[in-house]
Amino acid sequence: MFHHGKQPAPESATRPAAWRALALAYGFAGTVTVLTLLARLGLADWIGNDRPLLILFIIPIIFSAYVGGLGPGLLATAIAAVGAEYYLIPPTHSFLFGRPMDFVQWFFLVAGGVLASILNEALHRARRRADASQALAAVTLASIGDAVITTDAQGRVTFLNGEAERLTGWKNAEAAGQPLPTVFHIINEETRAAAEDPVKKVFRTGSVVGLANHTVLIARDGREFVIDDSGAPIRQADGTITGVVLVFRDNTEKKKAENALRRDERFLLQTGHIAKVGGWEFDPVTG
């Protein structure tokens, strides 16, 4: 789903690559259409000169539009339309139509090519929007301070941000496709029993869930971190759950400080009890 660690390339680097891709798409469109025209001319002895078979040119037009979008599709349509009219439609070597039916076929070839180009351009734009949205989501998740893990509907890991890599000991590329419990190994701090898989809990409840208290994450190298986390479903527009996102943080130092504070409080209470010394607090605001 996401690819951690890839930064957007500078505009100066992406512009030549974009021009090369565009040139290749236009070159592909012109090449396959001309080859189709040459192949049709080579079959003239078997097919005859009175049957243009313009339907053959739909194939290179569709492929060109699928590869490059609107521009290459229209280029293939133009080459097919001009080439067919000049070389295949009687009277050949002219831009005249000897029969009304030939004009109808030629018109539908042009109309079909334009329509295929427009539809494929819409498909390309939808893909670009989806890629941009996915890239933005990946950058956002990689940039936040909390650890983030995402999974698919089967509970397999699809993404770890940098903090999740640090805490789990797994790199994003290594963790991709692994079952969540393999990467996110959590136990109860007191009983040392395995904690419930948060993905299963999210799918069971269909809502945001939190880990139980005293949850410990065991990293790949054996280090232990006291964590708290929440898991939320990733839903499609129709409400179908397609995965889970886990957000958690390292509370190890906080837990140590709290434990030390509690020890100090118990020590003071025990000392006062043994020494039979009372204590009081004074609030200067209220008196």
Side-chain angles (χ1 to χ4, degrees):
M1 176 180 180
F2 299 110
H3 301 281
H4 172 64
K6 293 185 177 180
Q7 299 298 327
E11 184 179 355
S12 59
T14 59
R15 187 175 299 171
W19 279 109
R20 284 195 298 270
L22 189 62
L24 288 173
Y26 277 97
F28 174 82
T31 301
V32 296
T33 310
V34 169
L35 288 177
T36 303
L37 177 61
L38 293 175
R40 171 59 186 85
L41 291 172
L43 296 175
D45 293 338
W46 289 272
I47 298 176
N49 294 324
D50 59 337
R51 299 173 60 192
L53 288 181
L54 302 185
I55 191 68
L56 294 175
F57 292 96
I58 290 295
I59 298 174
I61 289 173
I62 291 177
F63 273 103
S64 299
Y66 179 79
V67 170
L70 181 63
L74 292 180
L75 175 62
T77 302
I79 294 174
V82 173
E85 166 58 10
Y86 189 78
Y87 291 105
L88 301 177
I89 297 177
T92 58
H93 301 94
S94 70
F95 292 101
L96 300 175
F97 294 94
R99 297 173 298 186
M101 183 55 65
D102 291 336
F103 174 76
V104 171
Q105 292 184 49
W106 183 87
F107 174 80
F108 276 107
L109 170 65
V110 174
V114 172
L115 179 61
S117 301
I118 293 174
L119 292 177
N120 277 279
E121 178 63 19
L123 177 62
H124 277 258
R125 290 183 178 181
R127 286 175 176 170
R128 287 194 292 268
R129 287 194 297 268
D131 290 343
S133 177
Q134 183 174 346
L136 176 61
V139 171
T140 301
L141 293 179
S143 302
I144 65 176
D146 290 342
V148 178
I149 299 178
T150 62
T151 76
D152 59 16
Q154 287 70 45
R156 294 188 296 263
V157 174
T158 57
F159 172 78
L160 279 76
N161 72 349
E163 180 66 3
E165 288 183 336
R166 183 184 74 84
L167 294 179
T168 63
W170 286 79
K171 293 297 183 182
N172 183 56
E174 298 173 327
Q178 296 285 346
L180 179 66
T182 301
V183 177
F184 190 64
H185 182 197
I186 52 176
I187 62 173
N188 183 278
E189 182 182 20
E190 298 176 347
T191 67
R192 309 298 291 181
E196 182 181 8
D197 184 350
V199 171
K200 294 181 179 179
K201 190 173 182 180
V202 168
F203 272 91
R204 186 176 69 250
T205 62
S207 60
V208 178
V209 301
L211 287 179
N213 293 329
H214 309 292
T215 298
V216 171
L217 169 66
I218 301 179
R220 193 177 187 180
D221 57 6
R223 293 175 300 154
E224 296 188 2
F225 301 96
V226 179
I227 63 170
D228 63 7
D229 103 323
S230 62
I234 301 173
R235 297 182 184 272
Q236 292 182 333
D238 61 359
T240 303
I241 300 177
T242 59
V244 172
V245 56
L246 300 175
V247 180
F248 56 98
R249 63 179 59 88
D250 178 13
N251 282 337
T252 305
E253 295 303 320
K254 179 182 176 181
K255 185 69 178 295
K256 289 180 180 178
E258 291 175 348
N259 291 339
L261 179 61
R262 281 194 290 269
R263 286 195 301 269
D264 291 344
E265 289 176 345
R266 287 196 299 268
F267 175 76
L268 290 173
L269 288 174
Q270 292 171 354
T271 302
H273 179 71
I274 294 172
K276 299 186 179 340
V277 175
W280 53 273
E281 294 181 355
F282 174 72
D283 187 339
V285 176
T286 63

